[in-house]
PDB file of all heavy atoms in Angstrom:
ATOM      1  N   SER A  43       1.243  22.142 -24.402  1.00 97.00           N
ATOM      2  CA  SER A  43       1.696  22.138 -22.960  1.00 97.00           C
ATOM      3  C   SER A  43       3.091  21.607 -23.018  1.00 97.00           C
ATOM      4  O   SER A  43       3.570  20.913 -23.927  1.00 97.00           O
ATOM      5  CB  SER A  43       0.673  21.378 -22.126  1.00 97.00           C
ATOM      6  OG  SER A  43       0.695  20.040 -22.516  1.00 97.00           O
ATOM      7  N   GLU A  44       3.768  21.614 -21.911  1.00 97.00           N
ATOM      8  CA  GLU A  44       5.264  21.353 -21.814  1.00 97.00           C
ATOM      9  C   GLU A  44       5.350  19.810 -21.809  1.00 97.00           C
ATOM     10  O   GLU A  44       6.359  19.265 -22.319  1.00 97.00           O
ATOM     11  CB  GLU A  44       5.904  21.863 -20.559  1.00 97.00           C
ATOM     12  CG  GLU A  44       6.358  23.184 -20.682  1.00 97.00           C
ATOM     13  CD  GLU A  44       6.895  23.745 -19.454  1.00 97.00           C
ATOM     14  OE1 GLU A  44       7.405  22.905 -18.538  1.00 97.00           O
ATOM     15  OE2 GLU A  44       7.183  25.009 -19.188  1.00 97.00           O
ATOM     16  N   MET A  45       4.456  19.051 -21.144  1.00 98.00           N
ATOM     17  CA  MET A  45       4.639  17.710 -20.869  1.00 98.00           C
ATOM     18  C   MET A  45       4.943  16.836 -22.103  1.00 98.00           C
ATOM     19  O   MET A  45       5.907  16.071 -22.141  1.00 98.00           O
ATOM     20  CB  MET A  45       3.380  17.136 -20.122  1.00 98.00           C
ATOM     21  CG  MET A  45       3.546  15.724 -19.698  1.00 98.00           C
ATOM     22  SD  MET A  45       2.857  14.597 -20.894  1.00 98.00           S
ATOM     23  CE  MET A  45       1.008  14.802 -20.654  1.00 98.00           C
ATOM     24  N   PRO A  46       4.184  16.827 -23.276  1.00 98.00           N
ATOM     25  CA  PRO A  46       4.565  16.042 -24.403  1.00 98.00           C
ATOM     26  C   PRO A  46       5.885  16.345 -24.941  1.00 98.00           C
ATOM     27  O   PRO A  46       6.719  15.534 -25.349  1.00 98.00           O
ATOM     28  CB  PRO A  46       3.417  16.296 -25.419  1.00 98.00           C
ATOM     29  CG  PRO A  46       2.163  16.783 -24.510  1.00 98.00           C
ATOM     30  CD  PRO A  46       2.924  17.592 -23.465  1.00 98.00           C
ATOM     31  N   THR A  47       6.256  17.726 -24.960  1.00 98.00           N
ATOM     32  CA  THR A  47       7.597  18.021 -25.580  1.00 98.00           C
ATOM     33  C   THR A  47       8.644  17.557 -24.640  1.00 98.00           C
ATOM     34  O   THR A  47       9.630  17.074 -25.291  1.00 98.00           O
ATOM     35  CB  THR A  47       7.623  19.691 -25.563  1.00 98.00           C
ATOM     36  OG1 THR A  47       6.593  20.272 -26.363  1.00 98.00           O
ATOM     37  CG2 THR A  47       8.913  20.098 -26.016  1.00 98.00           C
ATOM     38  N   LYS A  48       8.407  17.564 -23.376  1.00 98.00           N
ATOM     39  CA  LYS A  48       9.552  17.083 -22.460  1.00 98.00           C
ATOM     40  C   LYS A  48       9.600  15.588 -22.570  1.00 98.00           C
ATOM     41  O   LYS A  48      10.846  14.988 -22.481  1.00 98.00           O
ATOM     42  CB  LYS A  48       9.329  17.491 -21.016  1.00 98.00           C
ATOM     43  CG  LYS A  48       9.804  18.962 -20.783  1.00 98.00           C
ATOM     44  CD  LYS A  48       9.146  19.638 -19.538  1.00 98.00           C
ATOM     45  CE  LYS A  48       9.122  18.930 -18.348  1.00 98.00           C
ATOM     46  NZ  LYS A  48       8.392  19.669 -17.205  1.00 98.00           N
ATOM     47  N   LEU A  49       8.476  14.913 -22.822  1.00 98.00           N
ATOM     48  CA  LEU A  49       8.450  13.508 -22.942  1.00 98.00           C
ATOM     49  C   LEU A  49       9.400  13.083 -24.211  1.00 98.00           C
ATOM     50  O   LEU A  49      10.200  12.185 -24.209  1.00 98.00           O
ATOM     51  CB  LEU A  49       7.103  12.945 -22.987  1.00 98.00           C
ATOM     52  CG  LEU A  49       7.039  11.385 -23.177  1.00 98.00           C
ATOM     53  CD1 LEU A  49       7.491  10.629 -21.912  1.00 98.00           C
ATOM     54  CD2 LEU A  49       5.543  11.129 -23.516  1.00 98.00           C
ATOM     55  N   LEU A  50       9.011  13.757 -25.272  1.00 98.00           N
ATOM     56  CA  LEU A  50       9.711  13.516 -26.541  1.00 98.00           C
ATOM     57  C   LEU A  50      11.224  13.655 -26.399  1.00 98.00           C
ATOM     58  O   LEU A  50      11.980  12.818 -26.833  1.00 98.00           O
ATOM     59  CB  LEU A  50       9.164  14.323 -27.695  1.00 98.00           C
ATOM     60  CG  LEU A  50       7.732  14.032 -28.117  1.00 98.00           C
ATOM     61  CD1 LEU A  50       7.122  15.039 -29.108  1.00 98.00           C
ATOM     62  CD2 LEU A  50       7.591  12.669 -28.738  1.00 98.00           C
ATOM     63  N   GLU A  51      11.577  14.772 -25.709  1.00 98.00           N
ATOM     64  CA  GLU A  51      12.977  14.998 -25.517  1.00 98.00           C
ATOM     65  C   GLU A  51      13.646  13.925 -24.596  1.00 98.00           C
ATOM     66  O   GLU A  51      14.713  13.394 -24.936  1.00 98.00           O
ATOM     67  CB  GLU A  51      13.197  16.329 -24.707  1.00 98.00           C
ATOM     68  CG  GLU A  51      13.452  17.579 -25.617  1.00 98.00           C
ATOM     69  CD  GLU A  51      13.492  18.808 -24.820  1.00 98.00           C
ATOM     70  OE1 GLU A  51      14.028  18.820 -23.601  1.00 98.00           O
ATOM     71  OE2 GLU A  51      12.843  19.738 -25.229  1.00 98.00           O
ATOM     72  N   ARG A  52      12.990  13.597 -23.488  1.00 98.00           N
ATOM     73  CA  ARG A  52      13.729  12.690 -22.565  1.00 98.00           C
ATOM     74  C   ARG A  52      13.784  11.268 -23.277  1.00 98.00           C
ATOM     75  O   ARG A  52      14.785  10.700 -23.050  1.00 98.00           O
ATOM     76  CB  ARG A  52      12.762  12.493 -21.272  1.00 98.00           C
ATOM     77  CG  ARG A  52      13.141  11.429 -20.426  1.00 98.00           C
ATOM     78  CD  ARG A  52      12.301  11.421 -19.121  1.00 98.00           C
ATOM     79  NE  ARG A  52      11.076  10.982 -19.210  1.00 98.00           N
ATOM     80  CZ  ARG A  52      10.753   9.616 -19.312  1.00 98.00           C
ATOM     81  NH1 ARG A  52      11.746   8.790 -19.171  1.00 98.00           N
ATOM     82  NH2 ARG A  52       9.495   9.233 -19.280  1.00 98.00           N
ATOM     83  N   LEU A  53      12.848  10.949 -24.009  1.00 98.00           N
ATOM     84  CA  LEU A  53      12.881   9.616 -24.643  1.00 98.00           C
ATOM     85  C   LEU A  53      13.692   9.666 -25.913  1.00 98.00           C
ATOM     86  O   LEU A  53      13.816   8.631 -26.681  1.00 98.00           O
ATOM     87  CB  LEU A  53      11.555   9.001 -24.871  1.00 98.00           C
ATOM     88  CG  LEU A  53      10.716   8.751 -23.666  1.00 98.00           C
ATOM     89  CD1 LEU A  53       9.340   8.147 -23.929  1.00 98.00           C
ATOM     90  CD2 LEU A  53      11.557   7.569 -22.791  1.00 98.00           C
ATOM     91  N   LYS A  54      14.274  10.896 -26.291  1.00 98.00           N
ATOM     92  CA  LYS A  54      15.196  11.084 -27.480  1.00 98.00           C
ATOM     93  C   LYS A  54      14.487  10.690 -28.810  1.00 98.00           C
ATOM     94  O   LYS A  54      15.053  10.057 -29.672  1.00 98.00           O
ATOM     95  CB  LYS A  54      16.488  10.269 -27.381  1.00 98.00           C
ATOM     96  CG  LYS A  54      17.295  10.526 -25.990  1.00 98.00           C
ATOM     97  CD  LYS A  54      18.665   9.993 -26.015  1.00 98.00           C
ATOM     98  CE  LYS A  54      19.448  10.486 -24.788  1.00 98.00           C
ATOM     99  NZ  LYS A  54      18.905  10.089 -23.500  1.00 98.00           N
ATOM    100  N   PHE A  55      13.198  11.101 -28.923  1.00 97.00           N
ATOM    101  CA  PHE A  55      12.540  10.962 -30.239  1.00 97.00           C
ATOM    102  C   PHE A  55      13.048  12.003 -31.077  1.00 97.00           C
ATOM    103  O   PHE A  55      12.696  13.156 -30.961  1.00 97.00           O
ATOM    104  CB  PHE A  55      11.069  11.146 -30.040  1.00 97.00           C
ATOM    105  CG  PHE A  55      10.400   9.982 -29.633  1.00 97.00           C
ATOM    106  CD1 PHE A  55      10.082   9.590 -28.283  1.00 97.00           C
ATOM    107  CD2 PHE A  55       9.810   9.043 -30.638  1.00 97.00           C
ATOM    108  CE1 PHE A  55       9.397   8.488 -28.012  1.00 97.00           C
ATOM    109  CE2 PHE A  55       9.148   7.918 -30.314  1.00 97.00           C
ATOM    110  CZ  PHE A  55       8.895   7.651 -28.900  1.00 97.00           C
ATOM    111  N   THR A  56      13.943  11.722 -31.981  1.00 93.00           N
ATOM    112  CA  THR A  56      14.382  12.670 -33.029  1.00 93.00           C
ATOM    113  C   THR A  56      13.407  12.835 -34.030  1.00 93.00           C
ATOM    114  O   THR A  56      13.224  13.985 -34.480  1.00 93.00           O
ATOM    115  CB  THR A  56      15.806  12.247 -33.600  1.00 93.00           C
ATOM    116  OG1 THR A  56      15.691  10.884 -33.955  1.00 93.00           O
ATOM    117  CG2 THR A  56      16.894  12.641 -32.653  1.00 93.00           C
TER     118      THR A  56
END
Side-chain angles (χ1 to χ4, degrees):
Chain A
S43 62
E44 278 180 17
M45 185 267 287
T47 301
K48 276 160 49 186
L49 180 70
L50 291 170
E51 261 176 43
R52 178 172 73 76
L53 293 176
K54 303 192 175 59
F55 276 90
T56 45

